């Protein structure tokens, strides 16, 4: 029986009590950088495609196209040619009416994808719209069933959870891991606000972990996103929780690119604005 590389990685992580880093790559360049920097695995979500185009991750929830087709195209055209042997987790929207789930999973398996997560996750939707989605059968229960089906195909399964109820449901379904979302990634300059946001994230993280344990599961857990935008922030989270690692997209892709490009253009602009030596003689 073929050993799933992601399941082996998570199992090894449990034995050594190490911490893993997962990167949401929206381009081949970011995938290559993740490989070179020693990332442990890649999350390939259609949100990355929008982020690489300059839009926010939430654009991936809007009706610009089929999310599963977008993820598959991102895999084929950008990530797979650039990721080497790094394990890949692909996002699958559970309620896609355009193509049977089994067909989608067969293609992803043939492409060499190691794991599946529920993305775009319905947990980002709330209020009346969310209630209607749940009543129509396209809520968390559908994501749970999708991950169960993915497990039957030999994939490692990661439940992307935004609250305790979802963490509990995924854990009860015996997923291999949980991606525990701490909110949208955002830079916070004010020191006091930053500390408060990190503390709130830790409370949320512990609550989701507790819910997962209440359901009888002990899945691999990955903190994701939120106010953790520096290594010091991550150290704070790891110091006060027992998560198995950290994953992010904007923090590894959009924020560094924005800062680097802005600074470089600014420096070039300053150089271009200075009078040349010949002009200064006049």
């Amino acid at each position: 029986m073929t050993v799933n590389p992601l399941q082996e990685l998570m199992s090894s992580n449990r034995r050594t009590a190490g911490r893993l880093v997962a990167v949401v790559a929206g381009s081949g360049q970011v995938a290559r950088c993740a490989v070179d920097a020693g990332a442990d695995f890649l999350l390939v979500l259609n949100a990355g495609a929008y982020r690489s185009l300059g839009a926010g991750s939430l654009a991936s929830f809007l009706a610009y196209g089929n999310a599963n087709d977008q993820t598959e195209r991102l895999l084929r055209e950008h990530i797979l040619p650039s990721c080497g042997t790094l394990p890949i987790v692909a996002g699958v929207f559970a309620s896609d009416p355009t193509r049977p789930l089994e067909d989608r999973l067969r293609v992803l398996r043939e492409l060499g994808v190691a794991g599946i997560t529920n993305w775009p996750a319905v947990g980002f939707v709330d209020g009346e719209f969310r209630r209607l989605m749940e009543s129509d059968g396209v809520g968390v229960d559908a994501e749970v069933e999708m991950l169960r089906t993915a497990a039957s195909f030999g994939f490692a399964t990661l439940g992307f959870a935004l609250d305790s109820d979802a963490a509990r449901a995924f854990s009860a379904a015996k997923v291999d891991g949980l991606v525990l979302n701490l909110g949208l990634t955002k830079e916070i300059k004010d020191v006091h606000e930053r500390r408060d946001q990190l503390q709130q994230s830790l409370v949320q993280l512990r609550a989701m972990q507790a819910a997962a344990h209440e359901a009888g599961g002990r899945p691999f857990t990955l903190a994701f996103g939120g106010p953790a935008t520096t290594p010091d922030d991550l150290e704070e989270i790891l110091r006060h929780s027992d998560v198995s690692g950290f994953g992010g997209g904007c923090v590894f892709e959009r924020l560094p690119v924005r800062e680097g490009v802005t600074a470089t253009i600014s420096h070039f602009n300053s150089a271009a604005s200075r009078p040349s030596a010949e002009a200064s003689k006049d």
Side-chain angles (χ1 to χ4, degrees):
M1 182 177 179
T2 302
V3 176
N4 183 294
L6 185 60
Q7 289 174 327
E8 177 61 27
L9 179 64
M10 290 189 287
S11 177
S12 175
N13 173 261
R14 288 182 184 277
R15 292 193 298 269
T16 62
R19 304 294 174 86
L20 304 182
V21 172
V23 176
V24 180
S27 68
Q29 182 180 27
V30 172
R32 286 191 295 272
C33 290
V35 171
D36 292 343
D40 295 290
F41 64 96
L42 296 179
L43 287 161
V44 180
L45 315 175
N46 73 320
Y50 286 97
R51 201 163 48 245
S52 68
L53 294 173
S57 298
L58 288 180
S60 65
F61 292 87
L62 302 178
Y64 293 129
N66 183 288
N68 289 336
D69 288 344
Q70 291 167 350
T71 299
E72 189 176 318
R73 185 162 56 250
L74 178 61
L75 277 164
R76 290 180 183 276
E77 298 178 3
H78 302 283
I79 306 303
L80 289 171
S82 306
C83 70
T85 60
L86 211 61
I88 289 176
V89 176
V92 172
F93 181 60
S95 303
D96 182 357
T98 67
R99 187 174 178 183
L101 173 62
E102 290 78 7
D103 289 352
R104 182 79 63 180
L105 293 174
R106 287 189 191 97
V107 169
L108 292 175
R109 187 172 60 187
E110 290 168 3
L111 289 174
V113 169
I116 300 294
T117 191
N118 49 301
W119 184 276
V122 298
F124 280 95
V125 182
D126 58 14
E128 181 67 9
F129 188 33
R130 172 67 178 279
R131 188 190 69 77
L132 291 172
M133 290 179 69
E134 296 287 351
S135 65
D136 204 34
V138 293
V140 172
D141 286 346
E143 295 180 336
V144 168
E145 288 305 312
M146 181 274 289
L147 291 174
R148 282 197 176 111
T149 302
S152 73
F153 273 72
F155 290 104
T157 54
L158 281 77
F160 196 102
L162 289 94
D163 55 43
S164 295
D165 289 341
R168 187 178 294 107
F170 291 131
S171 179
K174 307 302 181 186
V175 295
D176 294 296
L178 290 174
V179 181
L180 303 176
N181 187 69
L182 303 180
L184 297 176
T185 302
K186 55 183 178 181
E187 287 184 293
I188 302 173
K189 300 298 185 182
D190 183 83
V191 175
H192 299 292
E193 183 182 358
R194 185 187 196 85
R195 182 188 59 203
D196 290 344
Q197 289 294 322
L198 279 171
Q199 290 304 312
Q200 290 178 28
S201 292
L202 282 166
V203 170
Q204 179 183 355
L205 186 60
R206 294 190 195 107
M208 288 192 284
Q209 286 186 297
H213 296 163
E214 288 168 6
R218 293 281 171 174
F220 168 93
T221 53
L222 195 74
F224 188 92
T229 58
T230 70
D232 288 343
D233 297 336
L234 176 56
E235 287 180 1
E236 181 75 7
I237 289 174
L238 297 179
R239 191 161 48 242
H240 297 287
S241 73
D242 61 351
V243 292
S244 306
F246 179 80
C250 291
V251 68
F252 297 131
E253 189 174 50
R254 178 176 60 82
L255 298 182
V257 168
R258 185 187 67 190
E259 292 171 1
V261 171
T262 300
T264 300
I265 293 175
S266 178
H267 292 158
F268 269 75
N269 189 48
S270 296
S273 299
R274 288 195 292 269
S276 66
E278 290 298 322
S280 63
K281 292 178 181 179
D282 297 337

